[in-house]
């Protein structure tokens, strides 16, 4: 196996980190890791061979590891592709696997959830305690007339009740939709209008960076402006009491969480559901203005998440698993909540800012709870790198055995810093590639894999991907191309809520028969994959997906803005941030004045932040008298991006971003 990486031309707009292109280091699996691994290299080879010779049998075996109320008639029904149905005819409930079955085993009194609040308060729940809390919440929802198929929107910070609410909704066959607590009233309103929830579960507020952030007011503002159809469906707003703030409650509609669950029995039956029954809707940004409601179903999702977590993080009964993602993102759904609980692992949830009250907070969390697996995002690693090695060096991090990253390309520098200073050169760094849509890890090393810093290595067994050119032909090794998935996989999205046609168009039309990820990647001569970024108009700001169209719509709602275009530009910490090109209305002061005062910049930046929430980071606003357009009148963002990043426009033809 050669360690030398060929150079390649990065497709424009890919957010590629230059150093990825010349990385040559390799890290061989350590004997201790191989000896301890659930899957040694031979097992991995057997699994790959098995997946190749009997792909459906391979996934069927993975399904056999879980409990079902009724087994499937077919592992995969592809008669209505791309609307694939995994485990067709089966009946199940993911909550049975995440909670109920543990109550019958030695896991009953094991810690399921460790929660740490930002001020330092903590809460620990055993499997039995979590099970009872979920039952009470499930009964309360049922008592409020909420049941199978109803949507429950959860607008919460990371609290134990966030996990409880998700599981309670799933238990009764309701469909949860968790909306990030940092989103604005406008973003929340759009999601309420699309999901039309019967209940919204929220909190009065939460702690973040030493401040109290209120939340209930955002829900009130969003509901006040939601559509008539959404208002007609909404029955209850349930509010968790977290902070000391005055909170307005609307009679009949609003109820405190502790009152809602107080008199409910702590046993509740678990709904038996068709494997294709929707488990949740998770909104994510795409190339169109409105966020898409990605739908995942109980059966396939539970199989895919369960299998992949066990492979990649090689779970042990004594693990304390800390995935730093907010439960509101897919990473939180799959690998804070459902995956670890299905596996009977102890999952750790932290409420606050990782740098509060000091830069060593994350490491003190690891030390105090004896975290064994730490799964996080490159942005956080870059932030912590800035404070040097003295912060981690002050802590004993000896309990750690595996590290992982997700969400954006990691530079070899960040990878090796993480490996050396956090993993103390003992813990493999597992760089996992996947998406809201895939539901589960798709491309990732296992602990026994040979690692190359910055590479996500190879697809997991049973997953088939390729890197192809415009026409769908595989590109030669070393060259950039589109990342496609050639076979369906169990935890795949089942549709886009309210828009099945968009599901077909956005994912399956570009390369018929294959799933188009929207990413660009390259393969090296060892078949290792290097993700280069998005091929479309989606930015990854601190690992969060933000559509340029969504941000443009928010900015364009400012009265001074006649026209605008957003492009992603590289940022040292966040990976990428937005730059706005703005044409103002004629009645505004001349552009030169604007640029001198800087007031309008700040005003516009603030406006976008208010409209979408703090995830929408615009670093710079540039005023123009006109925007460059092609002959069809379409704004040429590629040109603007090339100008902003100092790229020449000459190499833009390799891959078109107009997909
Ligand atoms: C990017 C997060 C490089 C990618 C689970 C993908 C990555 C998008 C990686 C999905 C990785 C995710 N290396 N890029 N290991 N993992 N991405 O839906 O562009 O929030 O398409 O899911 O993040 O983001 P999402």
């Amino acid at each position: 196996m050669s360690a030398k990486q060929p150079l390649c031309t990065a497709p424009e707009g890919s957010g590629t980190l230059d150093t990825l292109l010349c990385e040559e280091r390799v890290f061989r699996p350590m004997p201790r890791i191989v000896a301890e691994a659930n899957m040694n290299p031979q097992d991995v080879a057997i699994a790959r061979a098995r997946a190749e010779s009997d792909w459906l049998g391979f996934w069927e075996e993975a399904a056999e590891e879980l409990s079902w109320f009724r087994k499937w008639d077919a592992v995969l029904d592809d008669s209505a592709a791309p609307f694939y149905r995994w485990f067709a005819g089966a009946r199940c409930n993911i909550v049975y696997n995440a909670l109920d079955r543990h109550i019958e085993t030695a896991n009953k009194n094991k810690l399921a959830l460790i929660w740490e609040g930002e001020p330092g308060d903590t809460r620990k729940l055993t499997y039995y305690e979590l099970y009872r809390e979920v039952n009470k919440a499930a009964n309360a929802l049922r008592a409020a007339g909420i049941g199978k198929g109803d949507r429950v929107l959860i607008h919460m910070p990371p609290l134990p009740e966030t996990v409880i609410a998700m599981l309670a909704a799933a238990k009764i066959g309701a469909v949860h939709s968790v909306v990030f607590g940092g989103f604005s009233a406008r973003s929340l309103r759009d999601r309420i209008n699309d999901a039309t929830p019967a209940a919204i579960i929220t909190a009065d507020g939460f702690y973040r960076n030493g401040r109290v952030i209120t939340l209930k007011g955002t829900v009130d503002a969003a509901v006040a402006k939601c559509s008539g159809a959404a208002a007609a469906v909404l029955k209850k707003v349930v509010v968790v009491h977290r902070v000391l703030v005055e909170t307005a409650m609307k009679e009949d509609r609003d109820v405190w969480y502790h009152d809602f669950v107080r008199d409910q029995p702590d046993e509740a039956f678990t709904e038996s559901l068709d494997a294709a029954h929707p488990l949740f809707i998770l909104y994510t940004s795409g190339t169109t203005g409105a966020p898409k409601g990605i739908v995942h179903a109980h059966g396939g999702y539970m199989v895919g998440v369960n299998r992949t977590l066990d492979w990649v993080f090689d779970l042990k009964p004594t693990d304390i698993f800390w995935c730093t993602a907010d439960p509101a993102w897919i990473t939180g759904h799959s690998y804070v909540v459902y995956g670890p609980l299905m596996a009977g692992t102890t999952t750790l949830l932290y409420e606050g800012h990782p740098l509060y009250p000091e830069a060593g907070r994350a490491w003190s969390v690891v030390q105090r709870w004896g975290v064994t697996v730490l799964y996080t995002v490159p942005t956080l690693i870059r932030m912590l790198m800035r404070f040097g090695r003295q912060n981690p060096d002050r802590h004993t991090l000896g309990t750690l055995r595996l590290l992982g990253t997700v969400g954006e390309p990691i530079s070899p520098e960040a990878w090796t810093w993480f490996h050396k200073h956090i993993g103390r050169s003992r813990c493999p760094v597992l760089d996992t590639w996947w998406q809201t849509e895939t539901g589960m890890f798709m491309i990732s090393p296992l602990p026994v894999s040979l690692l190359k810093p910055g590479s996500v290595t190879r697809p997991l067994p049973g997953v088939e991907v390729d890197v192809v050119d415009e026409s769908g032909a595989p590109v030669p090794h070393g060259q950039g191309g589109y990342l496609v998935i050639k076979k369906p996989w169990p935890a795949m999205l089942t549709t886009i809520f309210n828009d099945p046609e968009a599901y077909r168009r956005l994912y399956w039309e570009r390369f018929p028969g294959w799933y188009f990820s929207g990413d660009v990647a390259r393969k090296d001569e060892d078949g290792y994959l290097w993700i280069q970024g998005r091929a479309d108009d989606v930015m990854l700001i601190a690992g969060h997906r933000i559509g340029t169209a969504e941000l443009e719509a928010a900015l364009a709602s400012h009265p001074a803005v006649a026209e605008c275009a957003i492009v992603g530009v590289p940022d040292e910490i966040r990976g990428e941030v937005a730059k706005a090109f703005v044409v103002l209305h004629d009645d505004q002061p001349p552009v030169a004045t604007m640029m001198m005062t800087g007031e309008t910049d700040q005003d516009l930046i603030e406006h976008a932040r208010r409209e979408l929430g703090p995830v929408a980071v615009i670093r710079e606003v540039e005023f123009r008298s006109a925007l460059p357009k092609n002959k069809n009148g379409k704004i040429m963002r590629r040109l603007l991006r090339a100008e902003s990043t100092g790229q020449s426009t000459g190499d833009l033809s390799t891959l078109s971003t107009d997909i």
Side-chain angles (χ1 to χ4, degrees), residues 237-263:
V237 174
V238 184
V239 188
V240 175
H241 182 37
R242 167 69 184 132
V243 292
L244 275 179
V245 285
E246 193 108 355
T247 302
M249 300 287 274
K250 188 171 171 207
E251 239 188 290
D252 296 333
R253 189 197 68 180
D254 299 355
V255 55
W256 288 102
Y257 181 88
H258 49 266
D259 292 329
F260 189 58
V261 300
R262 179 177 294 130
D263 297 325

PDB file of all heavy atoms in Angstrom, residues 237-263:
ATOM      1  N   VAL A 237     -48.534  23.451  24.061  1.00  0.00           N
ATOM      2  CA  VAL A 237     -47.134  23.860  24.135  1.00  0.00           C
ATOM      3  C   VAL A 237     -46.667  23.493  25.546  1.00  0.00           C
ATOM      4  O   VAL A 237     -47.214  23.993  26.540  1.00  0.00           O
ATOM      5  CB  VAL A 237     -46.964  25.372  23.868  1.00  0.00           C
ATOM      6  CG1 VAL A 237     -45.513  25.797  24.100  1.00  0.00           C
ATOM      7  CG2 VAL A 237     -47.391  25.711  22.439  1.00  0.00           C
ATOM      8  N   VAL A 238     -45.721  22.580  25.623  1.00  0.00           N
ATOM      9  CA  VAL A 238     -45.260  22.066  26.915  1.00  0.00           C
ATOM     10  C   VAL A 238     -43.901  22.708  27.214  1.00  0.00           C
ATOM     11  O   VAL A 238     -43.011  22.706  26.353  1.00  0.00           O
ATOM     12  CB  VAL A 238     -45.113  20.525  26.857  1.00  0.00           C
ATOM     13  CG1 VAL A 238     -44.741  19.979  28.224  1.00  0.00           C
ATOM     14  CG2 VAL A 238     -46.398  19.878  26.341  1.00  0.00           C
ATOM     15  N   VAL A 239     -43.755  23.270  28.424  1.00  0.00           N
ATOM     16  CA  VAL A 239     -42.562  24.067  28.712  1.00  0.00           C
ATOM     17  C   VAL A 239     -41.769  23.464  29.877  1.00  0.00           C
ATOM     18  O   VAL A 239     -42.281  23.350  30.996  1.00  0.00           O
ATOM     19  CB  VAL A 239     -42.958  25.524  29.062  1.00  0.00           C
ATOM     20  CG1 VAL A 239     -41.713  26.405  29.167  1.00  0.00           C
ATOM     21  CG2 VAL A 239     -43.945  26.085  28.043  1.00  0.00           C
ATOM     22  N   VAL A 240     -40.537  23.095  29.607  1.00  0.00           N
ATOM     23  CA  VAL A 240     -39.660  22.590  30.655  1.00  0.00           C
ATOM     24  C   VAL A 240     -39.094  23.775  31.429  1.00  0.00           C
ATOM     25  O   VAL A 240     -38.641  24.761  30.837  1.00  0.00           O
ATOM     26  CB  VAL A 240     -38.503  21.758  30.034  1.00  0.00           C
ATOM     27  CG1 VAL A 240     -37.497  21.328  31.109  1.00  0.00           C
ATOM     28  CG2 VAL A 240     -39.055  20.541  29.306  1.00  0.00           C
ATOM     29  N   HIS A 241     -39.135  23.679  32.756  1.00  0.00           N
ATOM     30  CA  HIS A 241     -38.625  24.763  33.590  1.00  0.00           C
ATOM     31  C   HIS A 241     -37.132  24.551  33.824  1.00  0.00           C
ATOM     32  O   HIS A 241     -36.731  23.647  34.541  1.00  0.00           O
ATOM     33  CB  HIS A 241     -39.389  24.746  34.913  1.00  0.00           C
ATOM     34  CG  HIS A 241     -38.997  25.837  35.832  1.00  0.00           C
ATOM     35  ND1 HIS A 241     -38.672  27.100  35.401  1.00  0.00           N
ATOM     36  CD2 HIS A 241     -38.871  25.864  37.170  1.00  0.00           C
ATOM     37  CE1 HIS A 241     -38.367  27.846  36.435  1.00  0.00           C
ATOM     38  NE2 HIS A 241     -38.469  27.116  37.519  1.00  0.00           N
ATOM     39  N   ARG A 242     -36.308  25.383  33.200  1.00  0.00           N
ATOM     40  CA  ARG A 242     -34.861  25.209  33.312  1.00  0.00           C
ATOM     41  C   ARG A 242     -34.192  26.397  33.993  1.00  0.00           C
ATOM     42  O   ARG A 242     -33.222  26.239  34.705  1.00  0.00           O
ATOM     43  CB  ARG A 242     -34.269  24.989  31.901  1.00  0.00           C
ATOM     44  CG  ARG A 242     -32.766  25.083  31.774  1.00  0.00           C
ATOM     45  CD  ARG A 242     -32.072  23.914  32.462  1.00  0.00           C
ATOM     46  NE  ARG A 242     -30.627  24.016  32.452  1.00  0.00           N
ATOM     47  CZ  ARG A 242     -29.868  23.837  33.527  1.00  0.00           C
ATOM     48  NH1 ARG A 242     -30.398  23.564  34.693  1.00  0.00           N
ATOM     49  NH2 ARG A 242     -28.547  23.928  33.454  1.00  0.00           N
ATOM     50  N   VAL A 243     -34.690  27.616  33.730  1.00  0.00           N
ATOM     51  CA  VAL A 243     -34.014  28.815  34.251  1.00  0.00           C
ATOM     52  C   VAL A 243     -35.015  29.694  34.998  1.00  0.00           C
ATOM     53  O   VAL A 243     -36.233  29.484  34.894  1.00  0.00           O
ATOM     54  CB  VAL A 243     -33.361  29.628  33.104  1.00  0.00           C
ATOM     55  CG1 VAL A 243     -32.200  28.880  32.498  1.00  0.00           C
ATOM     56  CG2 VAL A 243     -34.370  29.998  32.039  1.00  0.00           C
ATOM     57  N   LEU A 244     -34.487  30.668  35.719  1.00  0.00           N
ATOM     58  CA  LEU A 244     -35.379  31.561  36.452  1.00  0.00           C
ATOM     59  C   LEU A 244     -35.686  32.784  35.595  1.00  0.00           C
ATOM     60  O   LEU A 244     -34.956  33.764  35.615  1.00  0.00           O
ATOM     61  CB  LEU A 244     -34.722  31.992  37.757  1.00  0.00           C
ATOM     62  CG  LEU A 244     -34.891  31.028  38.931  1.00  0.00           C
ATOM     63  CD1 LEU A 244     -34.177  31.559  40.153  1.00  0.00           C
ATOM     64  CD2 LEU A 244     -36.376  30.799  39.240  1.00  0.00           C
ATOM     65  N   VAL A 245     -36.709  32.688  34.806  1.00  0.00           N
ATOM     66  CA  VAL A 245     -37.149  33.860  34.045  1.00  0.00           C
ATOM     67  C   VAL A 245     -38.667  33.894  34.074  1.00  0.00           C
ATOM     68  O   VAL A 245     -39.323  32.870  34.245  1.00  0.00           O
ATOM     69  CB  VAL A 245     -36.718  33.818  32.542  1.00  0.00           C
ATOM     70  CG1 VAL A 245     -35.254  34.105  32.359  1.00  0.00           C
ATOM     71  CG2 VAL A 245     -37.139  32.536  31.879  1.00  0.00           C
ATOM     72  N   GLU A 246     -39.182  35.071  33.929  1.00  0.00           N
ATOM     73  CA  GLU A 246     -40.630  35.232  33.846  1.00  0.00           C
ATOM     74  C   GLU A 246     -41.086  34.652  32.508  1.00  0.00           C
ATOM     75  O   GLU A 246     -40.510  34.983  31.466  1.00  0.00           O
ATOM     76  CB  GLU A 246     -40.928  36.725  33.891  1.00  0.00           C
ATOM     77  CG  GLU A 246     -42.351  37.010  34.109  1.00  0.00           C
ATOM     78  CD  GLU A 246     -42.621  37.556  35.518  1.00  0.00           C
ATOM     79  OE1 GLU A 246     -41.707  37.632  36.364  1.00  0.00           O
ATOM     80  OE2 GLU A 246     -43.763  37.909  35.717  1.00  0.00           O
ATOM     81  N   THR A 247     -42.045  33.767  32.521  1.00  0.00           N
ATOM     82  CA  THR A 247     -42.470  33.134  31.274  1.00  0.00           C
ATOM     83  C   THR A 247     -43.987  33.249  31.116  1.00  0.00           C
ATOM     84  O   THR A 247     -44.730  32.788  31.983  1.00  0.00           O
ATOM     85  CB  THR A 247     -42.053  31.646  31.268  1.00  0.00           C
ATOM     86  OG1 THR A 247     -40.639  31.589  31.425  1.00  0.00           O
ATOM     87  CG2 THR A 247     -42.441  30.968  29.979  1.00  0.00           C
ATOM     88  N   ALA A 248     -44.389  33.877  30.041  1.00  0.00           N
ATOM     89  CA  ALA A 248     -45.831  34.028  29.796  1.00  0.00           C
ATOM     90  C   ALA A 248     -46.395  32.688  29.337  1.00  0.00           C
ATOM     91  O   ALA A 248     -45.808  32.022  28.481  1.00  0.00           O
ATOM     92  CB  ALA A 248     -46.055  35.089  28.728  1.00  0.00           C
ATOM     93  N   MET A 249     -47.509  32.288  29.917  1.00  0.00           N
ATOM     94  CA  MET A 249     -48.138  31.020  29.536  1.00  0.00           C
ATOM     95  C   MET A 249     -49.549  31.325  29.039  1.00  0.00           C
ATOM     96  O   MET A 249     -50.305  32.046  29.684  1.00  0.00           O
ATOM     97  CB  MET A 249     -48.204  30.072  30.734  1.00  0.00           C
ATOM     98  CG  MET A 249     -46.851  29.711  31.329  1.00  0.00           C
ATOM     99  SD  MET A 249     -45.874  28.576  30.311  1.00  0.00           S
ATOM    100  CE  MET A 249     -46.512  27.002  30.858  1.00  0.00           C
ATOM    101  N   LYS A 250     -49.901  30.725  27.927  1.00  0.00           N
ATOM    102  CA  LYS A 250     -51.226  30.957  27.368  1.00  0.00           C
ATOM    103  C   LYS A 250     -52.190  29.906  27.918  1.00  0.00           C
ATOM    104  O   LYS A 250     -51.926  28.711  27.825  1.00  0.00           O
ATOM    105  CB  LYS A 250     -51.136  30.850  25.845  1.00  0.00           C
ATOM    106  CG  LYS A 250     -52.401  31.269  25.154  1.00  0.00           C
ATOM    107  CD  LYS A 250     -52.194  31.369  23.665  1.00  0.00           C
ATOM    108  CE  LYS A 250     -53.553  31.582  23.036  1.00  0.00           C
ATOM    109  NZ  LYS A 250     -53.691  31.136  21.710  1.00  0.00           N
ATOM    110  N   GLU A 251     -53.284  30.387  28.466  1.00  0.00           N
ATOM    111  CA  GLU A 251     -54.217  29.449  29.093  1.00  0.00           C
ATOM    112  C   GLU A 251     -54.722  28.410  28.103  1.00  0.00           C
ATOM    113  O   GLU A 251     -54.884  28.702  26.918  1.00  0.00           O
ATOM    114  CB  GLU A 251     -55.388  30.235  29.678  1.00  0.00           C
ATOM    115  CG  GLU A 251     -55.511  29.992  31.178  1.00  0.00           C
ATOM    116  CD  GLU A 251     -56.764  30.613  31.730  1.00  0.00           C
ATOM    117  OE1 GLU A 251     -56.773  31.860  31.767  1.00  0.00           O
ATOM    118  OE2 GLU A 251     -57.688  29.866  32.090  1.00  0.00           O
ATOM    119  N   ASP A 252     -54.953  27.247  28.590  1.00  0.00           N
ATOM    120  CA  ASP A 252     -55.459  26.108  27.807  1.00  0.00           C
ATOM    121  C   ASP A 252     -54.423  25.504  26.861  1.00  0.00           C
ATOM    122  O   ASP A 252     -54.389  24.305  26.655  1.00  0.00           O
ATOM    123  CB  ASP A 252     -56.716  26.463  26.991  1.00  0.00           C
ATOM    124  CG  ASP A 252     -57.855  26.810  27.911  1.00  0.00           C
ATOM    125  OD1 ASP A 252     -57.850  26.298  29.047  1.00  0.00           O
ATOM    126  OD2 ASP A 252     -58.729  27.604  27.524  1.00  0.00           O
ATOM    127  N   ARG A 253     -53.567  26.341  26.273  1.00  0.00           N
ATOM    128  CA  ARG A 253     -52.599  25.799  25.319  1.00  0.00           C
ATOM    129  C   ARG A 253     -51.281  25.414  25.995  1.00  0.00           C
ATOM    130  O   ARG A 253     -50.712  24.373  25.707  1.00  0.00           O
ATOM    131  CB  ARG A 253     -52.318  26.861  24.241  1.00  0.00           C
ATOM    132  CG  ARG A 253     -51.504  26.349  23.065  1.00  0.00           C
ATOM    133  CD  ARG A 253     -50.906  27.491  22.248  1.00  0.00           C
ATOM    134  NE  ARG A 253     -49.865  28.203  23.014  1.00  0.00           N
ATOM    135  CZ  ARG A 253     -49.172  29.240  22.547  1.00  0.00           C
ATOM    136  NH1 ARG A 253     -49.429  29.721  21.332  1.00  0.00           N
ATOM    137  NH2 ARG A 253     -48.241  29.829  23.284  1.00  0.00           N
ATOM    138  N   ASP A 254     -50.792  26.260  26.894  1.00  0.00           N
ATOM    139  CA  ASP A 254     -49.460  26.054  27.464  1.00  0.00           C
ATOM    140  C   ASP A 254     -49.519  25.328  28.806  1.00  0.00           C
ATOM    141  O   ASP A 254     -50.404  25.590  29.627  1.00  0.00           O
ATOM    142  CB  ASP A 254     -48.754  27.399  27.684  1.00  0.00           C
ATOM    143  CG  ASP A 254     -48.571  28.163  26.371  1.00  0.00           C
ATOM    144  OD1 ASP A 254     -48.904  27.596  25.311  1.00  0.00           O
ATOM    145  OD2 ASP A 254     -48.103  29.315  26.427  1.00  0.00           O
ATOM    146  N   VAL A 255     -48.552  24.461  29.020  1.00  0.00           N
ATOM    147  CA  VAL A 255     -48.499  23.736  30.287  1.00  0.00           C
ATOM    148  C   VAL A 255     -47.036  23.496  30.653  1.00  0.00           C
ATOM    149  O   VAL A 255     -46.194  23.260  29.780  1.00  0.00           O
ATOM    150  CB  VAL A 255     -49.301  22.407  30.183  1.00  0.00           C
ATOM    151  CG1 VAL A 255     -48.827  21.551  29.016  1.00  0.00           C
ATOM    152  CG2 VAL A 255     -49.240  21.592  31.470  1.00  0.00           C
ATOM    153  N   TRP A 256     -46.736  23.596  31.952  1.00  0.00           N
ATOM    154  CA  TRP A 256     -45.377  23.274  32.399  1.00  0.00           C
ATOM    155  C   TRP A 256     -45.157  21.779  32.275  1.00  0.00           C
ATOM    156  O   TRP A 256     -46.041  20.990  32.598  1.00  0.00           O
ATOM    157  CB  TRP A 256     -45.149  23.737  33.841  1.00  0.00           C
ATOM    158  CG  TRP A 256     -45.043  25.230  33.938  1.00  0.00           C
ATOM    159  CD1 TRP A 256     -46.006  26.088  34.365  1.00  0.00           C
ATOM    160  CD2 TRP A 256     -43.919  26.029  33.563  1.00  0.00           C
ATOM    161  NE1 TRP A 256     -45.559  27.382  34.282  1.00  0.00           N
ATOM    162  CE2 TRP A 256     -44.272  27.383  33.800  1.00  0.00           C
ATOM    163  CE3 TRP A 256     -42.645  25.765  33.061  1.00  0.00           C
ATOM    164  CZ2 TRP A 256     -43.409  28.434  33.542  1.00  0.00           C
ATOM    165  CZ3 TRP A 256     -41.784  26.816  32.805  1.00  0.00           C
ATOM    166  CH2 TRP A 256     -42.170  28.131  33.053  1.00  0.00           C
ATOM    167  N   TYR A 257     -43.976  21.406  31.876  1.00  0.00           N
ATOM    168  CA  TYR A 257     -43.661  19.987  31.688  1.00  0.00           C
ATOM    169  C   TYR A 257     -43.906  19.193  32.973  1.00  0.00           C
ATOM    170  O   TYR A 257     -44.492  18.110  32.951  1.00  0.00           O
ATOM    171  CB  TYR A 257     -42.194  19.852  31.228  1.00  0.00           C
ATOM    172  CG  TYR A 257     -41.768  18.438  30.970  1.00  0.00           C
ATOM    173  CD1 TYR A 257     -41.961  17.858  29.720  1.00  0.00           C
ATOM    174  CD2 TYR A 257     -41.187  17.654  31.973  1.00  0.00           C
ATOM    175  CE1 TYR A 257     -41.576  16.546  29.470  1.00  0.00           C
ATOM    176  CE2 TYR A 257     -40.803  16.352  31.725  1.00  0.00           C
ATOM    177  CZ  TYR A 257     -40.989  15.805  30.482  1.00  0.00           C
ATOM    178  OH  TYR A 257     -40.612  14.510  30.240  1.00  0.00           O
ATOM    179  N   HIS A 258     -43.474  19.749  34.122  1.00  0.00           N
ATOM    180  CA  HIS A 258     -43.628  18.989  35.380  1.00  0.00           C
ATOM    181  C   HIS A 258     -45.100  18.780  35.726  1.00  0.00           C
ATOM    182  O   HIS A 258     -45.459  17.774  36.301  1.00  0.00           O
ATOM    183  CB  HIS A 258     -42.847  19.641  36.534  1.00  0.00           C
ATOM    184  CG  HIS A 258     -43.073  21.110  36.682  1.00  0.00           C
ATOM    185  ND1 HIS A 258     -42.259  22.052  36.097  1.00  0.00           N
ATOM    186  CD2 HIS A 258     -44.035  21.802  37.321  1.00  0.00           C
ATOM    187  CE1 HIS A 258     -42.706  23.265  36.398  1.00  0.00           C
ATOM    188  NE2 HIS A 258     -43.789  23.132  37.135  1.00  0.00           N
ATOM    189  N   ASP A 259     -45.963  19.731  35.330  1.00  0.00           N
ATOM    190  CA  ASP A 259     -47.402  19.517  35.552  1.00  0.00           C
ATOM    191  C   ASP A 259     -47.960  18.514  34.543  1.00  0.00           C
ATOM    192  O   ASP A 259     -48.833  17.715  34.857  1.00  0.00           O
ATOM    193  CB  ASP A 259     -48.164  20.843  35.412  1.00  0.00           C
ATOM    194  CG  ASP A 259     -47.824  21.790  36.546  1.00  0.00           C
ATOM    195  OD1 ASP A 259     -47.533  21.292  37.656  1.00  0.00           O
ATOM    196  OD2 ASP A 259     -47.827  23.020  36.322  1.00  0.00           O
ATOM    197  N   PHE A 260     -47.441  18.596  33.346  1.00  0.00           N
ATOM    198  CA  PHE A 260     -47.909  17.745  32.241  1.00  0.00           C
ATOM    199  C   PHE A 260     -47.728  16.266  32.586  1.00  0.00           C
ATOM    200  O   PHE A 260     -48.590  15.430  32.310  1.00  0.00           O
ATOM    201  CB  PHE A 260     -47.090  18.114  30.994  1.00  0.00           C
ATOM    202  CG  PHE A 260     -47.535  17.518  29.695  1.00  0.00           C
ATOM    203  CD1 PHE A 260     -48.824  17.727  29.194  1.00  0.00           C
ATOM    204  CD2 PHE A 260     -46.656  16.764  28.935  1.00  0.00           C
ATOM    205  CE1 PHE A 260     -49.208  17.198  27.974  1.00  0.00           C
ATOM    206  CE2 PHE A 260     -47.027  16.235  27.708  1.00  0.00           C
ATOM    207  CZ  PHE A 260     -48.314  16.456  27.235  1.00  0.00           C
ATOM    208  N   VAL A 261     -46.572  15.920  33.196  1.00  0.00           N
ATOM    209  CA  VAL A 261     -46.273  14.502  33.437  1.00  0.00           C
ATOM    210  C   VAL A 261     -46.587  14.052  34.865  1.00  0.00           C
ATOM    211  O   VAL A 261     -46.580  12.854  35.145  1.00  0.00           O
ATOM    212  CB  VAL A 261     -44.775  14.180  33.129  1.00  0.00           C
ATOM    213  CG1 VAL A 261     -44.450  14.487  31.680  1.00  0.00           C
ATOM    214  CG2 VAL A 261     -43.832  14.927  34.062  1.00  0.00           C
ATOM    215  N   ARG A 262     -46.871  15.013  35.753  1.00  0.00           N
ATOM    216  CA  ARG A 262     -46.903  14.708  37.191  1.00  0.00           C
ATOM    217  C   ARG A 262     -47.756  13.475  37.550  1.00  0.00           C
ATOM    218  O   ARG A 262     -47.274  12.575  38.207  1.00  0.00           O
ATOM    219  CB  ARG A 262     -47.401  15.923  37.976  1.00  0.00           C
ATOM    220  CG  ARG A 262     -47.473  15.612  39.480  1.00  0.00           C
ATOM    221  CD  ARG A 262     -47.893  16.781  40.315  1.00  0.00           C
ATOM    222  NE  ARG A 262     -46.901  17.834  40.295  1.00  0.00           N
ATOM    223  CZ  ARG A 262     -47.166  19.113  40.052  1.00  0.00           C
ATOM    224  NH1 ARG A 262     -48.399  19.484  39.800  1.00  0.00           N
ATOM    225  NH2 ARG A 262     -46.207  20.013  40.078  1.00  0.00           N
ATOM    226  N   ASP A 263     -48.997  13.451  37.140  1.00  0.00           N
ATOM    227  CA  ASP A 263     -49.886  12.371  37.595  1.00  0.00           C
ATOM    228  C   ASP A 263     -49.931  11.182  36.648  1.00  0.00           C
ATOM    229  O   ASP A 263     -50.827  10.351  36.736  1.00  0.00           O
ATOM    230  CB  ASP A 263     -51.304  12.935  37.798  1.00  0.00           C
ATOM    231  CG  ASP A 263     -51.292  13.995  38.883  1.00  0.00           C
ATOM    232  OD1 ASP A 263     -50.519  13.830  39.844  1.00  0.00           O
ATOM    233  OD2 ASP A 263     -52.027  14.997  38.749  1.00  0.00           O
TER     234      ASP A 263
END
